[in-house]
Amino acid sequence: MLALYCSHFLDDNKKLTPRRDVPSYPKYMLSQQTIDALRKPAFGLWLWESNEMLSCLEHMYHDLDLVKDFNMNPITLKRWLLCIHDNYRMNPFHNFRHCFCVTQMMYSMICLCSLQETFTQVDILILMTAAVCHDLDHPGYNNMYQINARTELAVRYNDISPLENHHCAVAFQIFSQPDCNIFSTFDPEAFKQIRQGIITLILATDMARHGEILDSFKHKVDSFDFTDEEHVTCLKMVLIKCCDISNEVRPMEVAEPWADCLLEEYFMQSDREKAEGLPVAPFMDREKVTKPTAQIGFIKFVLIPMFETVMKLFPQIEDVMVQPLRESRDRYEELKQIDDAMNEKKKSENLTMGKKK
């Protein structure tokens, strides 16, 4: 089983070969309503088909002037996006729709926070491209599983962020294909800078590094200097982290299905861990976790503190990003109270039935 599992990684070279015979996907013409909605964190994500999401991603690169400013070949951009699509797996959560979700949130933050006024266009290119690539070929089993199961990925990367290192490797394998290299107009030194920037951001999405990265940003935020490269890099790392775990920023009807998808993926992993005799994290165990308990802790102790720290630099995110998080926390706390009351009622009924016997 382990050999079969490992064989999935990078053996299917067809995925990494661009579709030369299909230089464009069936084009979905974006309406002005869609174009306007794309710039907002509340954008709905569930009704869009792959070709529509690809068209939206293409629009973002054009709208941010990345295609024009860096003289990208528009056909290469299309081929690259198609290849990206083909290298996301059909996992319950870590799939192409999640890639689109994270990139759209990044795009909305760039627009909302007017980042093009403070960042260079190269920074914007790095932010967007890292978002697109950040979970390439995710197998649906997290780093702890990789390390505990001693998978080929964990061995290859010495147990250090094996998944994130793999996402980077797949991304740059795709860029190594001339027909998918959206960076072909950059000289070697500029490409080196972009490559390092993208790798730094994708590696920052490993949640094992969450405390370290957020603490570093907290020490900088009160005297933040947009001319300081270290400050800007730290902010970019926090921005991709925000976007990666931003589902609860969205309206309830958009956010809640993502929570269901994530729990499905968690349960898939914990069931496998039990079958293989590996350690199981309580927050992934279907016998120990509920949706409200899972979400409350994550929103209270991870999401709100991080977004509130970013809010110190960009107060404009409070109404459209931080406030929805607070409302989501309150809603899940109410649901937990209802669950607790029902469980108490069941316990009481069981005790009563036991006495009658």
Side-chain angles (χ1 to χ4, degrees):
M1 183 183 284
L2 183 59
L4 188 67
Y5 171 74
C6 291
S7 72
H8 287 306
F9 292 106
L10 297 179
D11 283 355
D12 186 3
N13 288 323
K14 288 180 291 194
K15 280 187 175 183
L16 294 175
T17 305
R19 303 183 199 174
R20 289 181 180 83
D21 57 326
V22 191
S24 65
Y25 29 85
K27 183 74 175 176
Y28 171 75
M29 298 305 294
L30 304 186
S31 67
Q32 190 57 48
Q33 185 180 8
T34 298
I35 287 169
D36 293 341
L38 261 179
R39 289 172 157 256
K40 297 182 174 124
F43 185 76
L45 296 143
W46 290 104
L47 300 176
W48 304 89
E49 296 176 4
S50 289
N51 67 309
E52 295 167 336
M53 290 187 282
L54 286 163
S55 293
C56 287
L57 290 170
E58 185 186 354
H59 167 78
M60 294 174 203
Y61 272 73
H62 281 279
D63 186 52
L64 293 169
D65 289 328
L66 299 175
V67 178
K68 176 173 69 70
D69 288 356
F70 298 119
N71 197 23
M72 283 182 198
N73 183 332
I75 300 301
T76 303
L77 177 65
K78 290 174 186 286
R79 281 205 181 101
W80 172 66
L81 287 170
L82 270 171
C83 206
I84 290 290
H85 171 270
D86 289 350
N87 283 277
Y88 274 91
R89 300 197 199 183
M90 301 291 285
N91 298 313
F93 184 92
H94 291 100
N95 50 40
F96 178 69
R97 193 176 300 276
H98 169 67
C99 152
F100 174 68
C101 172
V102 173
T103 311
Q104 185 274 327
M105 187 62 76
M106 181 66 79
Y107 174 67
S108 70
M109 288 195 86
I110 290 167
C111 297
L112 182 64
C113 303
S114 305
L115 292 183
Q116 285 183 296
E117 294 176 12
T118 49
F119 280 2
T120 67
Q121 278 293 81
V122 169
D123 286 328
I124 300 296
L125 178 63
I126 288 169
L127 281 168
M128 288 294 292
T129 308
V132 170
C133 299
H134 84 283
D135 269 333
L136 276 166
D137 198 41
H138 195 297
Y141 299 91
N142 72 9
N143 280 331
M144 285 315 300
Y145 176 82
Q146 307 298 324
I147 293 165
N148 290 331
R150 300 177 187 174
T151 65
E152 187 265 345
L153 273 187
V155 172
R156 181 187 303 171
Y157 294 113
N158 305 308
D159 295 350
I160 301 167
S161 303
L163 288 182
E164 291 73 22
N165 274 296
H166 179 62
H167 306 323
C168 292
V170 175
F172 283 94
Q173 281 194 307
I174 293 171
F175 289 129
S176 72
Q177 303 278 344
D179 287 345
C180 289
N181 186 9
I182 59 172
F183 304 133
S184 62
T185 59
F186 289 88
D187 63 50
E189 196 54 41
F191 174 75
K192 186 178 176 184
Q193 178 193 349
I194 288 166
R195 172 173 157 78
Q196 187 54 60
I198 290 170
I199 290 170
T200 297
L201 296 202
I202 293 177
L203 292 179
T205 62
D206 182 354
M207 284 302 293
R209 297 182 59 205
H210 177 79
E212 160 215 333
I213 292 168
L214 187 57
D215 283 348
S216 176
F217 182 60
K218 282 178 176 175
H219 284 116
K220 296 173 177 65
V221 72
D222 290 330
S223 55
F224 196 85
D225 181 359
F226 279 99
T227 65
D228 185 319
E229 189 179 336
E230 187 185 336
H231 282 219
V232 171
T233 297
C234 189
L235 173 57
K236 287 188 292 185
M237 291 164 78
V238 170
L239 287 173
I240 196 168
K241 284 175 58 54
C242 285
C243 295
D244 188 23
I245 55 176
S246 62
N247 289 324
E248 291 300 330
V249 165
R250 301 182 189 275
M252 181 190 74
E253 64 274 13
V254 179
E256 191 163 10
W258 279 119
D260 294 329
C261 291
L262 187 58
L263 284 174
E264 183 184 345
E265 200 167 292
Y266 281 174
F267 295 158
M268 185 174 74
Q269 174 172 320
S270 60
D271 289 348
R272 181 170 181 165
E273 287 168 332
K274 289 173 186 177
E276 295 177 3
L278 297 173
V280 177
F283 70 90
M284 301 179 85
D285 190 336
R286 68 173 74 244
E287 293 168 16
K288 294 180 180 174
V289 73
T290 66
K291 188 158 53 172
T293 57
Q295 293 301 92
I296 290 167
F298 192 65
I299 295 168
K300 280 174 76 169
F301 302 114
V302 177
L303 289 175
I304 290 178
M306 182 164 65
F307 276 85
E308 284 184 341
T309 307
V310 174
M311 188 178 75
K312 290 182 178 181
L313 212 52
F314 303 108
Q316 58 268 49
I317 75 167
E318 179 165 20
D319 290 344
V320 291
M321 301 186 91
V322 179
Q323 191 54 34
L325 286 175
R326 293 167 180 156
E327 290 167 5
S328 180
R329 172 201 60 201
D330 295 345
R331 186 173 66 85
Y332 276 114
E333 284 182 337
E334 286 174 17
L335 286 173
K336 184 178 181 299
Q337 287 176 358
I338 292 167
D339 283 354
D340 290 347
M342 287 180 67
N343 288 334
E344 281 300 316
K345 187 180 176 185
K346 280 180 188 173
K347 280 183 190 174
S348 176
E349 286 172 352
N350 288 340
L351 278 171
T352 304
M353 290 292 288
K355 284 176 182 176
K356 284 182 179 177
K357 287 178 183 176

